[in-house]
Structures are given as C-alpha cells and as structure tokens.
Amino acid sequence: MRPEELYVYKALVEVGAKSGRSADLGEGLSLSTWRNQKGFAVYERADHHSMSFYLEGGKDTRRHLGERCIGSGHPGAVCIMPAGVRSEWSIDASFRFMHLYFDCGWFDRTLAESCDVDPSGIELRDVSFRSDPVIEQICRKIIYPLDWQSAADQMALSQAGQLLAQHLLRHYTNRSLEPGLCRGGLSPYALRRVKEYVETSLDQGVTVSELARVSDLSPFHFTRMFRVSEGISPHQYVLQRRIEKAKYLLGDNKGSLSEIAQDCGFSSQSHMATRFRRATGLTPQNFRRLS
C-alpha cells in the first residue's frame, strides 16, 4: 500500500504540506512524514484508517467542527482518523508529524485473527490530540530513527508498524479487546522454511509480512509464535543473521566494506558499522584486523 496512492496523502499534498520520507510496510500498512505550516485541510472520503503523531510543534494546529474549535495540537499528540469520518483542520504555524496508514481489510482481518471477534461490530475510535506514551515511544525511539529505505531496517520498520496497529486495535476501538494467548511456537517445518528464506534474502528488505506468508500465518500470529520458538523477535533474528554474514565476509578478507554492507542488506558502510559495533563492540575494520 504505497502512501502516495492514498486519499489522506493526496489531500495533504493538495493543501501544500511537504512530504518527507515514506515507506510501504506491506500487508496494508504504510508510513510517511510531513511538514506543514499553513492551510485548511478537510478529510471526508478516506477509504483507509490513519493515525497521526506530532513530532514537533502543533499548538497552532486545530480541529474544527463547523465554526467551533474542538482541540489543538502539541508535540506528542496522537490523532486517529477512521475511514469515512469527516474532519476539518486549520494550520497556522509550522509543525512536523508522522502518519501511519492502514487498510480497512487488514484491520478487520487482524481483529478476527488476533482477538477472535466478528469485526463487523468493531469500530476504530475518532481521536484528536491524545497523549499516549506507548505510541510516542514506538514513533520517536523506534520508527523515526530507522533508515526507511534500508533493507536492513525493513524488518524493524514493519514490526514496529505492526506494534502500533496492534496498540490501536486494543486501546482505540469501541470495545475492550485482548489478543488470545499464544500456546505454541512454529512447527519445525515452518521454522526451517522461514530460516531458509531469511538466509537467501539478507541482501534485500525483509518484512514481517513476507516471513508470515512463508509460514502460512498472519503477521500477528507469526510474530508471537516465532518469539516462542526462538526467544527473540523476527527483527532481532534477521539482524543477528546479517551481523553473522558480515563477520563471515569480513573474515574472508576479500570484498570492500561497502560491498560487504550491500551484500548484508545495510544501506551504507556507515550503517553497517553502527549496527556491527552495537552488536559486537568492534568496528568492521577492527574485526577484520583481528580475524
């Protein structure tokens, strides 16, 4: 689901908002960052759900209901805009924000699979300028610092997007919902298939959705069952395998650092160096000298 094709994205472009980064996370999830400083935006025909998180500024951004102002923003503010709900917004000063877009079909499937409920009776709530420390932590500490175009960060990005959507599902619907208990891990056959897929895809962007398809599970169930089987998240596992591949190639002492970074799915030599040092305590150059 490319952000550029979505109604809310196009509506923001029409009122002069400046798009920054964007990413398609697969399975009906996508992200974008924005800067806006003036104008009046109206959303009324969205066929997808949206969540907005204010990164910087926002106190001069207001939501209106006719002639009445019904709230104003602030750094850390969360707004949830369900599909088909009309909303009006005025912007009088510069602010930066992030959008998570998610497909209505994905939302309904996730409700049915994770909470074992009929999605026809569940509605996402319309929320303006709420403070939510969980959403703030995921947006500021996980999603925003990642390199959205790097193959090495695609897994972390897709998993964080899933976490955000799951949090909205549990806390921002018209019913109190809790995911069912996870009682077992992946079958040996499914786990082997997933690991084989990872090994052949380390130079590419791997997402939770892709690994879930390999195991014939929904992303929600796959993530929980993989953690039961391996004791770590899919993102942590894929990063470990990238680091191990980098170690092998560095020890081989042939390719350049930039070539090794590319072969392991890192966006650049410096990106690999940062992740490698965080995992091993050594820079790739020092590791090569000691190998």
Side-chain angles (χ1 to χ4, degrees):
M1 191 169 76
R2 295 181 62 245
E4 297 84 355
E5 299 172 350
L6 301 177
Y7 169 82
V8 170
Y9 189 103
K10 293 177 180 178
L12 280 168
V13 171
E14 288 179 3
V15 299
K18 304 300 181 184
S19 175
R21 296 183 291 167
S22 63
D24 180 353
L25 307 186
E27 285 292 318
L29 291 173
S30 55
L31 287 164
S32 63
T33 60
W34 295 90
R35 180 181 292 276
N36 201 1
Q37 60 184 10
K38 60 181 179 179
F40 191 84
V42 178
Y43 306 131
E44 55 186 346
R45 299 191 308 276
D47 58 357
H48 57 86
H49 303 306
S50 302
M51 187 209 79
S52 178
F53 175 77
Y54 286 28
L55 293 162
E56 182 181 283
K59 66 183 181 66
D60 291 312
T61 298
R62 299 175 178 84
R63 183 170 178 182
H64 301 271
L65 184 61
E67 298 296 321
R68 182 165 60 93
C69 173
I70 58 174
S72 59
H74 55 85
V78 175
C79 300
I80 301 171
M81 298 168 286
V85 172
R86 178 184 171 87
S87 58
E88 303 174 2
W89 312 79
S90 65
I91 302 97
D92 296 319
S94 178
F95 77 113
R96 293 191 306 115
F97 57 103
M98 178 190 303
H99 269 173
L100 168 72
Y101 310 107
F102 49 111
D103 178 74
C104 296
W106 177 91
F107 180 76
D108 289 347
R109 288 193 303 275
T110 303
L111 278 169
E113 292 169 352
S114 62
C115 300
D116 193 25
V117 295
D118 180 358
S120 63
I122 308 298
E123 295 179 359
L124 188 65
R125 285 160 43 202
D126 182 1
V127 172
S128 299
F129 310 122
R130 180 74 59 87
S131 293
D132 187 312
V134 173
I135 293 176
E136 180 153 17
Q137 178 78 6
I138 295 173
C139 288
R140 288 198 191 278
K141 303 298 184 181
I142 301 177
I143 292 178
Y144 192 75
L146 291 171
D147 183 342
W148 292 12
Q149 303 307 314
S150 168
D153 282 347
Q154 287 301 300
M155 175 63 74
L157 200 58
S158 64
Q159 191 167 322
Q162 295 281 345
L163 284 174
L164 263 184
Q166 288 292 333
H167 182 74
L168 297 182
L169 180 151
R170 294 177 62 189
H171 299 284
Y172 292 95
T173 63
N174 60 337
R175 282 179 52 185
S176 177
L177 300 171
E178 286 294 335
L181 295 175
C182 182
R183 302 186 183 280
L186 297 171
S187 69
Y189 172 71
L191 186 60
R192 184 172 66 253
R193 287 187 64 194
V194 168
K195 289 185 174 182
E196 288 173 352
Y197 184 89
V198 169
E199 293 304 314
T200 59
S201 307
L202 290 176
D203 61 337
Q204 305 167 34
V206 182
T207 67
V208 171
S209 298
E210 290 171 355
L211 298 185
R213 282 195 292 271
V214 170
S215 58
D216 294 322
L217 293 168
S218 69
F220 174 79
H221 283 128
F222 166 74
T223 299
R224 296 204 301 170
M225 293 170 73
F226 185 91
R227 187 182 285 275
V228 170
S229 294
E230 291 297 298
I232 56 176
S233 70
H235 155 60
Q236 292 170 317
Y237 176 80
V238 172
L239 181 58
Q240 282 184 2
R241 298 310 305 155
R242 285 197 164 103
I243 296 298
E244 289 303 313
K245 183 176 181 179
K247 286 180 180 178
Y248 173 79
L249 294 175
L250 288 166
D252 196 42
N253 208 31
K254 291 182 179 179
S256 68
L257 294 183
S258 60
E259 289 172 336
I260 292 173
Q262 184 176 4
D263 288 342
C264 296
F266 296 102
S267 61
S268 64
Q269 180 179 327
S270 62
H271 187 212
M272 179 180 72
T274 299
R275 295 306 177 92
F276 193 91
R277 185 169 186 173
R278 189 177 299 167
T280 67
L282 296 169
T283 66
Q285 287 178 320
N286 289 338
F287 183 90
R288 170 170 270 178
R289 282 198 293 268
L290 294 172
S291 297

